[in-house]
Amino acid sequence: MTPYGLQTEQRCEPLGVGERQPRLSWKLESDRRGAAQSAYRITAAERAADLDDPDRLIWDSGRRESPDGLLVPWDGPALRSATRYHWRVQVWDETGSPAGSAQSWFETGLLHHEDWTAAWIGRDPAAQPHVDPPGEEDLPPMDSPPLYLRREFQLEHTPVRARLYATARGVYEPRLNGERVGDVELAPGWTEYHHRLQYQTYDVTTMLRTGANAIAAIVADGWWCGYVGFDRRRPARHYGDQPALLAQLVMEFADGSRQVVTTDASWSEHPGAIRAADLLMGEYVDRRWHVPGWDRAGCPDARFVAVAVLDATPGPLVAEPDHPVRVVTEMPAVEVTRRASGRYVVDFGQNVVGHIRLTLRGAPEGQRIVLRHAEMLADGELYVANLRTARATDVYVCGGDEVEVFEPRFTFHGFRYVEIDNHPGELVTADIVARVAHNDLPWTGRFRCSDPMVNQLQSNITWGQRGNFVAVPTDCPQRDERLGWLADAQIFAPTAGRNADVSAFLARWMRDVVDGQDADGAFRDVAPVVSLHREAAPAWGDAGVIIPWYLWRTYGDRRVLADSFDAMRAWVRHIHRHNPDLRWRNRTGNSYGDWLQVDVTTEREVLATAYFAHSTHLVAQAAEVLGRSDDATELRQLHARIRDAFIDSYVHPDGTVEGGTQTAYLLALAFGLVPQRLVAAAVGHLAADIEKRDHRLTTGFVGVALLCPVLTEHGRTDLAYALLHQTEYPSWGYSIRHGATTIWERWDGWTDHAGFQSPAMNSFNHYSLGSVGDWLYGRVAGIDQTPSSVAYRELLLRPQPGGRLTWAHAEQETARGTVACGWSIADNRITVTATVPPGSTAVLQIPTADPASVREGDAPVAGQPGVLGVEPSAAGATLRLASGRYTITAAAPDAVS
Ligand code: RAM
């Protein structure tokens, strides 16, 4: 058994960790069944080689009896700023024998306020840069061209170690000696800037040289002072008036000396080729403004003027705690067509988020090329009405070089198609590529099955995730919105966490959610809070409870739960205070209900009260986990009373739920708000509704996440599969049949009968309706955990054949190691494969008509190594398994669901 995948603060080998007691984690792998960790020991040193020398260790945890390698807090000496720490974990197996070890490192950032000596710099108000006249295309605001900032400095020696710590009010790209530093896009990301601004740490050791060096940066408006959301706040701005940079380059030399270069009055500034850039509007580049060598030493500085030092204090800076946005993949053009107008339309075959890279050959100086982006075509032309005021237009004015490459840096678009106007020559597919950018989370999950349409659905879900995990979890990436909507995030989180390791990303965003809470305990609909300053709606604000609980259950992150607890409790108390009769009818904010439901209206107070009960239940459980027993008791009692009130008011003696919509039943059943004796009746009413509609759903954002899981839980997997395979409107299949490559915001984004929905709100890349992904992993393939399990310690593997599938398989890299489950049916036998990581156990339900037929290889399964028990069960047979890899066969289930 060996540890692998070592992480510090949920990232591998992070630079610039801001935590004083960072948490260390590892996963385990073994070929042996029943392998488990019984103890671990962590040792740490400042040099990797010193890990082997007991006298040079700075921390030795000693042997600690523990089955877990999850988020163990640093317990060594106080950490120094800007220091690399190496650590090793050694584990003992279940017999107490020493097993493997592995090592890793992390490096601290600037841990103390005093570590910062840099000053904020920006444009001198007296500088009055040239402003280009706006073009006819209504382009990005041209009134304040991005900053090109530079400074030179001398080095006598090359450093043995150099780090750049930097951030911006705006979005920035750092440069050293003519090269881009790092590969982060849209740094410093988006947080509640009034509370926290993230800085990035870059290893620039190899970029420096003896003699003259130049440090530089480009800074554009970004979220700080560009267009954000949908209220036309610019030029009022959400955060500040103008972009600025803060940077500190720390160099260490072989003799132990240090040299520090910071942003200060010695820097100079002059606009460069990027004439305007805005996240929503686009980027305007005029290559003729490029100052050759502007970011290198020795550049004639004549046009550069002194910067203004904006203020001396660095502000509320925090180290970036999660994976930043990067260009993660590229999509080639699949088709380039030239229209009669002479314009080219490029199809990337996939709705993506990011920007293009266009190579131009032999373009004449001054040629003005205009690129517009769209998700859809209408009559062969770009459909841009649904972008609302986001122009999503980039302009490139050529400089006359033999080869020029245009790649916007400070904007992003959601698009499948790009139209190129005024291209000077023949555009070939090889000269344009879509650069896909999103938070670079480890992609940890995979789901596949025998049905191509379901695989396309899974693909659409993952592309929805890629497109909307850009700085914050957004609702959509294309129109003038792109906000961190809370309901979207909570509905989709369980699916997102299947596909990728979202632990650090969502924990970081949770701070924004908590920061957005008001003194009365109300969260906001969005985080960071822009535009929507009113109290959150039911199911929206509840994200403030649901997500920390989700992160605890999925990753064992107790800290996010502890840090969020007061806010979680305050939310529930806020609702209670204003709704003493326990029906949530007051203070429901914008009360969106079951947003974008089809043909029905779920009663708002049913939905709200169900969420009130659900959140209260989760906060009670959180209190228990955190050892706050008084809170737990109080909240449990409150939950019981809300449940009674719900049943009293909305659940009728015949098992109908008020309003009778699918979502009303789903909420009541999923959140345990139906008395046991009426559950079967309620399920019957739900099923009848689906059947009477010929297996169509009516659920919106809120209900859809519960649809298939509740049906499966209550023995109606047949209906869940019928909905999964449905291709008539409304269904997932309908959008796929019409070419969807992402999840649409609305079931009727485009229909045969009505064409496009209103452009006022019609995104083709919104992940909420993709929340069915959790069920694909959890029930179709079968990976789940028991209700009391944390971070997949006790797996609940329940593969559910059904519909027209003949096999399905999922694999997930969990916090403990690899979990997999899958099944296939052939020749009247079902084969189930399962992987249980060391230290975990599994309850595996084999769907079979004959519990006695369960075998591993040729032998009955009972008594096989790792098989702790076999029992007949309602589903067929239930096995209890120790860790290991298993391939089990049995007689196929009678009727496949
Ligand atoms: C829309 C957003 C979001 C949703 C809200 C209620 O504008 O796109 O998805 O949560 O409305």
Side-chain angles (χ1 to χ4, degrees), residues 454-473:
V454 178
N455 290 334
Q456 184 64 47
L457 172 62
Q458 166 64 12
S459 170
N460 293 4
I461 292 168
T462 58
W463 278 103
Q465 181 166 350
R466 288 177 186 280
N468 284 293
F469 275 25
V470 180
V472 299

Side-chain angles (χ1 to χ4, degrees), residues 26 61 65 76 95 181 270 290 326 351 361 376 402 427 441 443 484 502 548 592 627 641 668 718 720 829 835 897:
W26 56 94
S61 72
E65 306 301 314
T95 68
V181 172
H270 183 265
H290 176 64
R326 294 197 174 90
N351 196 15
R361 301 169 200 283
M376 301 287 262
E402 195 46 46
L427 176 61
L441 314 183
W443 216 248
V502 300
Y592 306 101
R641 289 170 48 222
D718 59 326
R829 282 196 76 78
T835 303
S897 75

Side-chain angles (χ1 to χ4, degrees), residues 517-524 535 565-588 612 616 634-635 638 641-642:
Q517 191 174 43
D518 69 18
D520 198 64
F523 291 114
R524 293 292 177 257
E535 292 175 356
F565 183 79
D566 289 347
M568 294 161 72
R569 191 184 52 186
W571 168 246
V572 165
R573 286 186 173 167
H574 157 80
I575 302 166
H576 188 195
R577 190 176 319 120
H578 298 289
N579 297 277
D581 74 350
L582 308 177
R583 284 102 179 140
W584 186 2
R585 290 181 285 217
N586 303 314
R587 309 291 278 255
T588 54
F612 181 24
T616 305
E634 179 197 317
L635 290 157
L638 177 61
R641 289 170 48 222
I642 303 168

